[in-house]
Amino acid sequence: MNAVVIAVCLMLFLSFIRINVVVSLTISAVVAGLVGGLDIHQTITAFNDGLGGGAQIALSYALLGAFAAALSHSGLTTLISHSIIKKLGKEPNSGNTQVVRWLLLVTILLMAVSSQNILPIHIAFIPILIPPLLHVISKLHIDRRLIACILTFGLVTTYMILPIGFGGIFLNDILLANLNTNGLNAIGEQIPKAMLLPAMGMVVGLLTAIFISYRKPRHYMIEQPVESDSITTTISRKSLLISLSAIVITLIVQLKTDSMIFGALSGFIIFRFSGIIKHEVSKDLFNQGVHMMANIGFIMIAAAGFAAVVKSTGEVGTLVTSLGDIIGDNKALAALLMLIVGLLITMGIGSSFSTIPIIATIYVPLALSFGFSVAATIALVGTAAALGDAGSPASDSTLGPTAGLNADGQHDHIRDSVIPTFIHYNIPLLVFGWIAAMVL
């Protein structure tokens, strides 16, 4: 058994039995190192060296959390939440239930999509927007697993096909750069087109979740009912203008500097010195935002350590090259096994962005040797990296939804976020990614 396979399976098992994800990643990293031929000192050194790779991501999420908290304090997100709640009225009835249900689902989907490009705060909006909506979600008996699937769809599919914001980083800065570094000679215009068919698998998964899997009501405890007429939301024109200005500046700075850290920091500074956030509450607000995203940051740091150990073992290359005896000259089987290996690697690392540099070095020459076209190779590498992002316990695409949906303790990370998103997205993505590799 390959060290990568053993470590990923162990990490998934530990997470499934509700061991903390950071602990699961750390234990699995040690096992990966020992099984991969490293001694305990080499394993710990590789793990420690890798932790720094997650520090930038962790700091980005912390500052995004602070910016999201400031955005919430301005009243903009509260206005959105309460506008939806008021549509419901005091009690749900046949006349308003379906309207509010679809309004809620569409609003959440649009927020998830825009968080990747228009308002690039990534998952930081979820713990701000979702908790105020949990009452109406429970009142409508909407299955929270459906909300998790909608959020994950917006977070993942957007960067797969739209070269703006996070999509620009994934498609151009990471995927295209690593493909060409390894000899593919692709151009930027080819990337979104090649990823379009795999992204259709995500659409199929979303429609399945909405209309089949989670269309039936699911009942949750409603501990603190909120009467809609008791809700008063006020937001001044000044607050609205400053909020919109902060959003625009955050986007511009991030695109110009290619840094989420400085983008989020710019947005927070605008809120701080505009007068919306008073001096006496700014520190508490900043700490609140950082605390909100701290758990995700620590998991990302641990995932970076895990990835560093996996790289140090050299077992990723061994895993791929060992497929040669199984594949032979079967092109269809080669595509399928490359995607499955990508699924395993990404589920372990928890980030498709971090997976591409690992697999592109091996996959590009392998794909070219089997005669895959440039577009098919793009689809193979891009899909192999995206696979597992939705269904990994260490992925921000599942951690983010859990952070918002579990605000009242009624949403389990593994059973209600990880497993539903794995079933509805990874399986269709595997199928559509394979089709893309064969027809492009």
Side-chain angles (χ1 to χ4, degrees):
M1 290 292 288
N2 184 273
V4 177
V5 177
I6 293 174
V8 171
C9 291
L10 177 61
M11 185 273 291
L12 295 175
F13 172 75
L14 293 175
S15 299
F16 186 77
I17 62 174
R18 302 190 179 185
I19 302 296
N20 182 275
V21 178
V22 174
V23 176
S24 300
L25 283 165
T26 305
I27 293 174
S28 301
V30 173
V31 171
L34 297 178
V35 174
L38 304 178
D39 60 37
I40 187 64
H41 297 293
Q42 292 172 320
T43 300
I44 293 175
T45 299
F47 184 81
N48 289 337
D49 291 343
L51 296 180
Q56 180 179 347
I57 299 175
L59 181 58
S60 298
Y61 286 170
L63 289 173
L64 287 173
F67 174 65
L71 191 63
S72 175
H73 186 78
S74 72
L76 186 60
T77 55
T78 305
L79 182 63
I80 295 172
S81 301
H82 289 173
S83 296
I84 296 175
I85 293 173
K86 287 180 180 179
K87 290 286 184 181
L88 181 63
K90 291 186 177 181
E91 294 296 335
N93 56 62
S94 57
N96 62 18
T97 297
Q98 288 302 315
V99 173
V100 175
R101 183 178 189 272
W102 282 108
L103 176 63
L104 185 67
L105 298 182
V106 170
T107 299
I108 291 173
L109 176 60
L110 292 177
M111 283 296 296
V113 171
S114 63
S115 71
Q116 304 300 296
N117 41 57
I118 299 175
L119 175 57
I121 60 173
H122 197 37
I123 60 173
F125 81 95
I126 298 176
I128 296 297
L129 180 68
I130 298 300
L133 294 176
L134 288 181
H135 171 72
V136 70
I137 290 172
S138 299
K139 205 171 182 180
L140 290 170
H141 307 304
I142 297 176
D143 196 323
R144 295 187 191 182
R145 292 173 295 181
L146 172 58
I147 305 296
C149 287
I150 290 174
L151 288 168
T152 300
F153 174 86
L155 295 172
V156 175
T157 311
T158 306
Y159 75 67
M160 287 178 61
I161 56 175
L162 294 179
I164 305 171
F166 287 97
I169 296 172
F170 178 79
L171 295 174
N172 296 323
D173 298 347
I174 299 179
L175 179 55
L176 178 62
N178 280 275
L179 288 172
N180 288 338
T181 297
N182 291 283
L184 187 62
N185 296 320
I187 59 176
E189 290 77 8
Q190 293 176 298
I191 306 294
K193 294 178 182 178
M195 293 298 295
L196 185 59
L197 186 54
M200 291 304 299
M202 300 290 292
V203 176
V204 170
L206 176 65
L207 295 177
T208 302
I210 294 175
F211 295 107
I212 300 176
S213 304
Y214 305 126
R215 64 182 179 85
K216 293 182 179 179
R218 192 180 190 189
H219 299 278
Y220 297 89
M221 292 180 59
I222 306 177
E223 298 179 357
Q224 295 179 344
V226 179
E227 297 297 334
S228 61
D229 57 3
S230 68
I231 299 173
T232 57
T233 303
T234 58
I235 178 170
S236 66
R237 181 175 295 181
K238 176 186 176 182
S239 296
L240 180 60
L241 290 175
I242 291 175
S243 298
L244 294 176
S245 299
I247 291 171
V248 172
I249 294 298
T250 298
L251 175 60
I252 293 174
V253 172
Q254 179 178 318
L255 293 177
K256 291 292 185 181
T257 64
D258 196 22
S259 171
M260 290 188 293
I261 295 175
F262 289 100
L265 184 61
S266 300
F268 185 84
I269 289 173
I270 290 174
F271 278 120
R272 170 62 184 84
F273 291 100
S274 64
I276 291 182
I277 301 177
K278 304 301 180 183
H279 174 71
E280 57 271 17
V281 301
S282 63
K283 183 177 180 180
D284 290 339
L285 196 63
F286 187 88
N287 291 338
Q288 174 191 338
V290 172
H291 180 266
M292 176 180 68
M293 304 295 285
N295 183 55
I296 296 175
F298 281 120
I299 293 175
M300 293 291 101
I301 291 173
F306 176 90
V309 174
V310 169
K311 292 179 186 177
S312 297
T313 63
E315 290 288 279
V316 174
T318 303
L319 177 60
V320 176
T321 54
S322 65
L323 298 177
D325 295 335
I326 303 173
I327 296 172
D329 57 354
N330 192 324
K331 188 176 180 179
L333 182 59
L336 178 62
L337 290 180
M338 280 193 279
L339 291 172
I340 292 174
V341 170
L343 170 64
L344 284 171
I345 296 171
T346 309
M347 288 194 71
I349 295 174
S351 170
S352 56
F353 288 66
S354 300
T355 301
I356 287 179
I358 300 175
I359 65 174
T361 305
I362 307 163
Y363 275 34
V364 172
L366 187 62
L368 293 177
S369 70
F370 275 96
F372 287 104
S373 66
V374 171
T377 304
I378 294 170
L380 270 175
V381 177
T383 305
L387 268 167
D389 200 359
S392 172
S395 169
D396 48 14
S397 299
T398 57
L399 289 166
T402 299
L405 293 168
N406 194 41
D408 60 358
Q410 298 188 71
H411 185 88
D412 182 75
H413 179 56
I414 300 298
R415 291 168 176 79
D416 296 329
S417 287
V418 173
I419 294 176
T421 55
F422 178 90
I423 293 172
H424 289 88
Y425 296 130
N426 288 340
I427 295 174
L429 192 56
L430 183 67
V431 174
F432 277 77
W434 180 83
I435 293 173
M438 299 308 297
V439 302
L440 292 177

mmCIF file with all atom_site columns, all heavy atoms in Angstrom, residues 247-267:
data_model
loop_
_atom_site.group_PDB
_atom_site.id
_atom_site.type_symbol
_atom_site.label_atom_id
_atom_site.label_alt_id
_atom_site.label_comp_id
_atom_site.label_asym_id
_atom_site.label_entity_id
_atom_site.label_seq_id
_atom_site.pdbx_PDB_ins_code
_atom_site.Cartn_x
_atom_site.Cartn_y
_atom_site.Cartn_z
_atom_site.occupancy
_atom_site.B_iso_or_equiv
_atom_site.pdbx_formal_charge
_atom_site.auth_seq_id
_atom_site.auth_comp_id
_atom_site.auth_asym_id
_atom_site.auth_atom_id
_atom_site.pdbx_PDB_model_num
ATOM 1   N N   . ILE A 1 247 ? -15.979 47.356 -0.315  1.00 0.00 ? 247 ILE A N   1
ATOM 2   C CA  . ILE A 1 247 ? -16.012 46.145 -1.135  1.00 0.00 ? 247 ILE A CA  1
ATOM 3   C C   . ILE A 1 247 ? -15.217 46.357 -2.424  1.00 0.00 ? 247 ILE A C   1
ATOM 4   O O   . ILE A 1 247 ? -14.409 45.515 -2.831  1.00 0.00 ? 247 ILE A O   1
ATOM 5   C CB  . ILE A 1 247 ? -17.473 45.763 -1.459  1.00 0.00 ? 247 ILE A CB  1
ATOM 6   C CG1 . ILE A 1 247 ? -18.184 45.282 -0.193  1.00 0.00 ? 247 ILE A CG1 1
ATOM 7   C CG2 . ILE A 1 247 ? -17.520 44.687 -2.539  1.00 0.00 ? 247 ILE A CG2 1
ATOM 8   C CD1 . ILE A 1 247 ? -19.682 45.099 -0.377  1.00 0.00 ? 247 ILE A CD1 1
ATOM 9   N N   . VAL A 1 248 ? -15.437 47.508 -3.059  1.00 0.00 ? 248 VAL A N   1
ATOM 10  C CA  . VAL A 1 248 ? -14.746 47.801 -4.314  1.00 0.00 ? 248 VAL A CA  1
ATOM 11  C C   . VAL A 1 248 ? -13.235 47.929 -4.093  1.00 0.00 ? 248 VAL A C   1
ATOM 12  O O   . VAL A 1 248 ? -12.429 47.375 -4.856  1.00 0.00 ? 248 VAL A O   1
ATOM 13  C CB  . VAL A 1 248 ? -15.304 49.093 -4.941  1.00 0.00 ? 248 VAL A CB  1
ATOM 14  C CG1 . VAL A 1 248 ? -14.457 49.519 -6.144  1.00 0.00 ? 248 VAL A CG1 1
ATOM 15  C CG2 . VAL A 1 248 ? -16.753 48.891 -5.372  1.00 0.00 ? 248 VAL A CG2 1
ATOM 16  N N   . ILE A 1 249 ? -12.847 48.655 -3.039  1.00 0.00 ? 249 ILE A N   1
ATOM 17  C CA  . ILE A 1 249 ? -11.420 48.829 -2.743  1.00 0.00 ? 249 ILE A CA  1
ATOM 18  C C   . ILE A 1 249 ? -10.760 47.495 -2.423  1.00 0.00 ? 249 ILE A C   1
ATOM 19  O O   . ILE A 1 249 ? -9.634  47.210 -2.865  1.00 0.00 ? 249 ILE A O   1
ATOM 20  C CB  . ILE A 1 249 ? -11.223 49.812 -1.572  1.00 0.00 ? 249 ILE A CB  1
ATOM 21  C CG1 . ILE A 1 249 ? -11.680 51.216 -1.983  1.00 0.00 ? 249 ILE A CG1 1
ATOM 22  C CG2 . ILE A 1 249 ? -9.769  49.842 -1.129  1.00 0.00 ? 249 ILE A CG2 1
ATOM 23  C CD1 . ILE A 1 249 ? -10.916 51.817 -3.125  1.00 0.00 ? 249 ILE A CD1 1
ATOM 24  N N   . THR A 1 250 ? -11.461 46.662 -1.669  1.00 0.00 ? 250 THR A N   1
ATOM 25  C CA  . THR A 1 250 ? -10.930 45.326 -1.342  1.00 0.00 ? 250 THR A CA  1
ATOM 26  C C   . THR A 1 250 ? -10.658 44.536 -2.615  1.00 0.00 ? 250 THR A C   1
ATOM 27  O O   . THR A 1 250 ? -9.615  43.889 -2.756  1.00 0.00 ? 250 THR A O   1
ATOM 28  C CB  . THR A 1 250 ? -11.921 44.562 -0.446  1.00 0.00 ? 250 THR A CB  1
ATOM 29  O OG1 . THR A 1 250 ? -12.089 45.268 0.780   1.00 0.00 ? 250 THR A OG1 1
ATOM 30  C CG2 . THR A 1 250 ? -11.413 43.154 -0.153  1.00 0.00 ? 250 THR A CG2 1
ATOM 31  N N   . LEU A 1 251 ? -11.608 44.580 -3.537  1.00 0.00 ? 251 LEU A N   1
ATOM 32  C CA  . LEU A 1 251 ? -11.449 43.857 -4.809  1.00 0.00 ? 251 LEU A CA  1
ATOM 33  C C   . LEU A 1 251 ? -10.280 44.409 -5.612  1.00 0.00 ? 251 LEU A C   1
ATOM 34  O O   . LEU A 1 251 ? -9.439  43.664 -6.118  1.00 0.00 ? 251 LEU A O   1
ATOM 35  C CB  . LEU A 1 251 ? -12.741 43.945 -5.616  1.00 0.00 ? 251 LEU A CB  1
ATOM 36  C CG  . LEU A 1 251 ? -12.715 43.337 -7.029  1.00 0.00 ? 251 LEU A CG  1
ATOM 37  C CD1 . LEU A 1 251 ? -12.379 41.856 -6.958  1.00 0.00 ? 251 LEU A CD1 1
ATOM 38  C CD2 . LEU A 1 251 ? -14.036 43.557 -7.735  1.00 0.00 ? 251 LEU A CD2 1
ATOM 39  N N   . ILE A 1 252 ? -10.202 45.744 -5.717  1.00 0.00 ? 252 ILE A N   1
ATOM 40  C CA  . ILE A 1 252 ? -9.141  46.366 -6.516  1.00 0.00 ? 252 ILE A CA  1
ATOM 41  C C   . ILE A 1 252 ? -7.761  46.068 -5.946  1.00 0.00 ? 252 ILE A C   1
ATOM 42  O O   . ILE A 1 252 ? -6.832  45.686 -6.671  1.00 0.00 ? 252 ILE A O   1
ATOM 43  C CB  . ILE A 1 252 ? -9.370  47.894 -6.606  1.00 0.00 ? 252 ILE A CB  1
ATOM 44  C CG1 . ILE A 1 252 ? -10.627 48.188 -7.420  1.00 0.00 ? 252 ILE A CG1 1
ATOM 45  C CG2 . ILE A 1 252 ? -8.155  48.584 -7.225  1.00 0.00 ? 252 ILE A CG2 1
ATOM 46  C CD1 . ILE A 1 252 ? -11.014 49.651 -7.435  1.00 0.00 ? 252 ILE A CD1 1
ATOM 47  N N   . VAL A 1 253 ? -7.616  46.226 -4.631  1.00 0.00 ? 253 VAL A N   1
ATOM 48  C CA  . VAL A 1 253 ? -6.320  46.002 -3.993  1.00 0.00 ? 253 VAL A CA  1
ATOM 49  C C   . VAL A 1 253 ? -5.901  44.547 -4.137  1.00 0.00 ? 253 VAL A C   1
ATOM 50  O O   . VAL A 1 253 ? -4.735  44.239 -4.406  1.00 0.00 ? 253 VAL A O   1
ATOM 51  C CB  . VAL A 1 253 ? -6.364  46.411 -2.508  1.00 0.00 ? 253 VAL A CB  1
ATOM 52  C CG1 . VAL A 1 253 ? -5.081  45.990 -1.793  1.00 0.00 ? 253 VAL A CG1 1
ATOM 53  C CG2 . VAL A 1 253 ? -6.562  47.911 -2.377  1.00 0.00 ? 253 VAL A CG2 1
ATOM 54  N N   . GLN A 1 254 ? -6.856  43.633 -3.970  1.00 0.00 ? 254 GLN A N   1
ATOM 55  C CA  . GLN A 1 254 ? -6.515  42.216 -4.102  1.00 0.00 ? 254 GLN A CA  1
ATOM 56  C C   . GLN A 1 254 ? -6.047  41.890 -5.517  1.00 0.00 ? 254 GLN A C   1
ATOM 57  O O   . GLN A 1 254 ? -5.071  41.161 -5.708  1.00 0.00 ? 254 GLN A O   1
ATOM 58  C CB  . GLN A 1 254 ? -7.700  41.334 -3.743  1.00 0.00 ? 254 GLN A CB  1
ATOM 59  C CG  . GLN A 1 254 ? -7.399  39.848 -3.888  1.00 0.00 ? 254 GLN A CG  1
ATOM 60  C CD  . GLN A 1 254 ? -8.558  38.970 -3.491  1.00 0.00 ? 254 GLN A CD  1
ATOM 61  O OE1 . GLN A 1 254 ? -9.217  39.231 -2.505  1.00 0.00 ? 254 GLN A OE1 1
ATOM 62  N NE2 . GLN A 1 254 ? -8.816  37.934 -4.267  1.00 0.00 ? 254 GLN A NE2 1
ATOM 63  N N   . LEU A 1 255 ? -6.744  42.448 -6.512  1.00 0.00 ? 255 LEU A N   1
ATOM 64  C CA  . LEU A 1 255 ? -6.370  42.170 -7.894  1.00 0.00 ? 255 LEU A CA  1
ATOM 65  C C   . LEU A 1 255 ? -5.032  42.813 -8.253  1.00 0.00 ? 255 LEU A C   1
ATOM 66  O O   . LEU A 1 255 ? -4.224  42.226 -8.978  1.00 0.00 ? 255 LEU A O   1
ATOM 67  C CB  . LEU A 1 255 ? -7.465  42.675 -8.842  1.00 0.00 ? 255 LEU A CB  1
ATOM 68  C CG  . LEU A 1 255 ? -8.815  41.942 -8.766  1.00 0.00 ? 255 LEU A CG  1
ATOM 69  C CD1 . LEU A 1 255 ? -9.825  42.591 -9.693  1.00 0.00 ? 255 LEU A CD1 1
ATOM 70  C CD2 . LEU A 1 255 ? -8.660  40.465 -9.096  1.00 0.00 ? 255 LEU A CD2 1
ATOM 71  N N   . LYS A 1 256 ? -4.778  44.018 -7.734  1.00 0.00 ? 256 LYS A N   1
ATOM 72  C CA  . LYS A 1 256 ? -3.539  44.723 -8.050  1.00 0.00 ? 256 LYS A CA  1
ATOM 73  C C   . LYS A 1 256 ? -2.330  44.108 -7.346  1.00 0.00 ? 256 LYS A C   1
ATOM 74  O O   . LYS A 1 256 ? -1.234  44.035 -7.919  1.00 0.00 ? 256 LYS A O   1
ATOM 75  C CB  . LYS A 1 256 ? -3.662  46.205 -7.657  1.00 0.00 ? 256 LYS A CB  1
ATOM 76  C CG  . LYS A 1 256 ? -4.642  46.997 -8.512  1.00 0.00 ? 256 LYS A CG  1
ATOM 77  C CD  . LYS A 1 256 ? -4.141  47.148 -9.946  1.00 0.00 ? 256 LYS A CD  1
ATOM 78  C CE  . LYS A 1 256 ? -5.066  48.037 -10.762 1.00 0.00 ? 256 LYS A CE  1
ATOM 79  N NZ  . LYS A 1 256 ? -4.598  48.176 -12.160 1.00 0.00 ? 256 LYS A NZ  1
ATOM 80  N N   . THR A 1 257 ? -2.517  43.686 -6.104  1.00 0.00 ? 257 THR A N   1
ATOM 81  C CA  . THR A 1 257 ? -1.394  43.150 -5.328  1.00 0.00 ? 257 THR A CA  1
ATOM 82  C C   . THR A 1 257 ? -1.328  41.635 -5.349  1.00 0.00 ? 257 THR A C   1
ATOM 83  O O   . THR A 1 257 ? -0.350  41.054 -4.884  1.00 0.00 ? 257 THR A O   1
ATOM 84  C CB  . THR A 1 257 ? -1.497  43.608 -3.859  1.00 0.00 ? 257 THR A CB  1
ATOM 85  O OG1 . THR A 1 257 ? -2.692  43.058 -3.265  1.00 0.00 ? 257 THR A OG1 1
ATOM 86  C CG2 . THR A 1 257 ? -1.533  45.120 -3.760  1.00 0.00 ? 257 THR A CG2 1
ATOM 87  N N   . ASP A 1 258 ? -2.398  40.997 -5.884  1.00 0.00 ? 258 ASP A N   1
ATOM 88  C CA  . ASP A 1 258 ? -2.483  39.539 -5.883  1.00 0.00 ? 258 ASP A CA  1
ATOM 89  C C   . ASP A 1 258 ? -2.364  39.002 -4.454  1.00 0.00 ? 258 ASP A C   1
ATOM 90  O O   . ASP A 1 258 ? -1.745  37.972 -4.212  1.00 0.00 ? 258 ASP A O   1
ATOM 91  C CB  . ASP A 1 258 ? -1.397  38.922 -6.771  1.00 0.00 ? 258 ASP A CB  1
ATOM 92  C CG  . ASP A 1 258 ? -1.681  37.463 -7.100  1.00 0.00 ? 258 ASP A CG  1
ATOM 93  O OD1 . ASP A 1 258 ? -2.850  37.061 -7.009  1.00 0.00 ? 258 ASP A OD1 1
ATOM 94  O OD2 . ASP A 1 258 ? -0.729  36.738 -7.417  1.00 0.00 ? 258 ASP A OD2 1
ATOM 95  N N   . SER A 1 259 ? -2.970  39.725 -3.516  1.00 0.00 ? 259 SER A N   1
ATOM 96  C CA  . SER A 1 259 ? -2.871  39.339 -2.108  1.00 0.00 ? 259 SER A CA  1
ATOM 97  C C   . SER A 1 259 ? -4.207  39.548 -1.402  1.00 0.00 ? 259 SER A C   1
ATOM 98  O O   . SER A 1 259 ? -4.712  40.678 -1.341  1.00 0.00 ? 259 SER A O   1
ATOM 99  C CB  . SER A 1 259 ? -1.790  40.173 -1.409  1.00 0.00 ? 259 SER A CB  1
ATOM 100 O OG  . SER A 1 259 ? -1.822  39.960 -0.010  1.00 0.00 ? 259 SER A OG  1
ATOM 101 N N   . MET A 1 260 ? -4.781  38.455 -0.882  1.00 0.00 ? 260 MET A N   1
ATOM 102 C CA  . MET A 1 260 ? -5.994  38.573 -0.091  1.00 0.00 ? 260 MET A CA  1
ATOM 103 C C   . MET A 1 260 ? -5.721  39.321 1.210   1.00 0.00 ? 260 MET A C   1
ATOM 104 O O   . MET A 1 260 ? -6.595  39.986 1.753   1.00 0.00 ? 260 MET A O   1
ATOM 105 C CB  . MET A 1 260 ? -6.562  37.181 0.220   1.00 0.00 ? 260 MET A CB  1
ATOM 106 C CG  . MET A 1 260 ? -7.138  36.448 -0.970  1.00 0.00 ? 260 MET A CG  1
ATOM 107 S SD  . MET A 1 260 ? -7.993  34.932 -0.493  1.00 0.00 ? 260 MET A SD  1
ATOM 108 C CE  . MET A 1 260 ? -6.609  33.940 0.085   1.00 0.00 ? 260 MET A CE  1
ATOM 109 N N   . ILE A 1 261 ? -4.499  39.189 1.713   1.00 0.00 ? 261 ILE A N   1
ATOM 110 C CA  . ILE A 1 261 ? -4.141  39.834 2.978   1.00 0.00 ? 261 ILE A CA  1
ATOM 111 C C   . ILE A 1 261 ? -4.304  41.344 2.886   1.00 0.00 ? 261 ILE A C   1
ATOM 112 O O   . ILE A 1 261 ? -4.992  41.970 3.691   1.00 0.00 ? 261 ILE A O   1
ATOM 113 C CB  . ILE A 1 261 ? -2.698  39.468 3.385   1.00 0.00 ? 261 ILE A CB  1
ATOM 114 C CG1 . ILE A 1 261 ? -2.600  37.969 3.685   1.00 0.00 ? 261 ILE A CG1 1
ATOM 115 C CG2 . ILE A 1 261 ? -2.252  40.291 4.590   1.00 0.00 ? 261 ILE A CG2 1
ATOM 116 C CD1 . ILE A 1 261 ? -1.195  37.494 3.978   1.00 0.00 ? 261 ILE A CD1 1
ATOM 117 N N   . PHE A 1 262 ? -3.679  41.953 1.861   1.00 0.00 ? 262 PHE A N   1
ATOM 118 C CA  . PHE A 1 262 ? -3.730  43.404 1.735   1.00 0.00 ? 262 PHE A CA  1
ATOM 119 C C   . PHE A 1 262 ? -5.091  43.888 1.248   1.00 0.00 ? 262 PHE A C   1
ATOM 120 O O   . PHE A 1 262 ? -5.514  45.004 1.568   1.00 0.00 ? 262 PHE A O   1
ATOM 121 C CB  . PHE A 1 262 ? -2.614  43.886 0.808   1.00 0.00 ? 262 PHE A CB  1
ATOM 122 C CG  . PHE A 1 262 ? -1.253  43.774 1.424   1.00 0.00 ? 262 PHE A CG  1
ATOM 123 C CD1 . PHE A 1 262 ? -0.414  42.704 1.111   1.00 0.00 ? 262 PHE A CD1 1
ATOM 124 C CD2 . PHE A 1 262 ? -0.818  44.713 2.343   1.00 0.00 ? 262 PHE A CD2 1
ATOM 125 C CE1 . PHE A 1 262 ? 0.837   42.590 1.699   1.00 0.00 ? 262 PHE A CE1 1
ATOM 126 C CE2 . PHE A 1 262 ? 0.441   44.604 2.927   1.00 0.00 ? 262 PHE A CE2 1
ATOM 127 C CZ  . PHE A 1 262 ? 1.265   43.543 2.612   1.00 0.00 ? 262 PHE A CZ  1
ATOM 128 N N   . GLY A 1 263 ? -5.793  43.052 0.495   1.00 0.00 ? 263 GLY A N   1
ATOM 129 C CA  . GLY A 1 263 ? -7.145  43.411 0.083   1.00 0.00 ? 263 GLY A CA  1
ATOM 130 C C   . GLY A 1 263 ? -8.075  43.521 1.276   1.00 0.00 ? 263 GLY A C   1
ATOM 131 O O   . GLY A 1 263 ? -8.779  44.520 1.449   1.00 0.00 ? 263 GLY A O   1
ATOM 132 N N   . ALA A 1 264 ? -8.073  42.477 2.126   1.00 0.00 ? 264 ALA A N   1
ATOM 133 C CA  . ALA A 1 264 ? -8.929  42.479 3.311   1.00 0.00 ? 264 ALA A CA  1
ATOM 134 C C   . ALA A 1 264 ? -8.520  43.582 4.281   1.00 0.00 ? 264 ALA A C   1
ATOM 135 O O   . ALA A 1 264 ? -9.372  44.233 4.896   1.00 0.00 ? 264 ALA A O   1
ATOM 136 C CB  . ALA A 1 264 ? -8.864  41.120 4.002   1.00 0.00 ? 264 ALA A CB  1
ATOM 137 N N   . LEU A 1 265 ? -7.223  43.793 4.425   1.00 0.00 ? 265 LEU A N   1
ATOM 138 C CA  . LEU A 1 265 ? -6.735  44.834 5.328   1.00 0.00 ? 265 LEU A CA  1
ATOM 139 C C   . LEU A 1 265 ? -7.188  46.215 4.858   1.00 0.00 ? 265 LEU A C   1
ATOM 140 O O   . LEU A 1 265 ? -7.590  47.059 5.674   1.00 0.00 ? 265 LEU A O   1
ATOM 141 C CB  . LEU A 1 265 ? -5.205  44.785 5.401   1.00 0.00 ? 265 LEU A CB  1
ATOM 142 C CG  . LEU A 1 265 ? -4.527  45.762 6.381   1.00 0.00 ? 265 LEU A CG  1
ATOM 143 C CD1 . LEU A 1 265 ? -4.991  45.494 7.803   1.00 0.00 ? 265 LEU A CD1 1
ATOM 144 C CD2 . LEU A 1 265 ? -3.009  45.637 6.276   1.00 0.00 ? 265 LEU A CD2 1
ATOM 145 N N   . SER A 1 266 ? -7.163  46.448 3.563   1.00 0.00 ? 266 SER A N   1
ATOM 146 C CA  . SER A 1 266 ? -7.610  47.733 3.015   1.00 0.00 ? 266 SER A CA  1
ATOM 147 C C   . SER A 1 266 ? -9.084  47.971 3.320   1.00 0.00 ? 266 SER A C   1
ATOM 148 O O   . SER A 1 266 ? -9.482  49.074 3.717   1.00 0.00 ? 266 SER A O   1
ATOM 149 C CB  . SER A 1 266 ? -7.381  47.773 1.505   1.00 0.00 ? 266 SER A CB  1
ATOM 150 O OG  . SER A 1 266 ? -6.010  47.615 1.190   1.00 0.00 ? 266 SER A OG  1
ATOM 151 N N   . GLY A 1 267 ? -9.893  46.928 3.124   1.00 0.00 ? 267 GLY A N   1
ATOM 152 C CA  . GLY A 1 267 ? -11.316 47.063 3.408   1.00 0.00 ? 267 GLY A CA  1
ATOM 153 C C   . GLY A 1 267 ? -11.587 47.352 4.870   1.00 0.00 ? 267 GLY A C   1
ATOM 154 O O   . GLY A 1 267 ? -12.425 48.198 5.211   1.00 0.00 ? 267 GLY A O   1
#
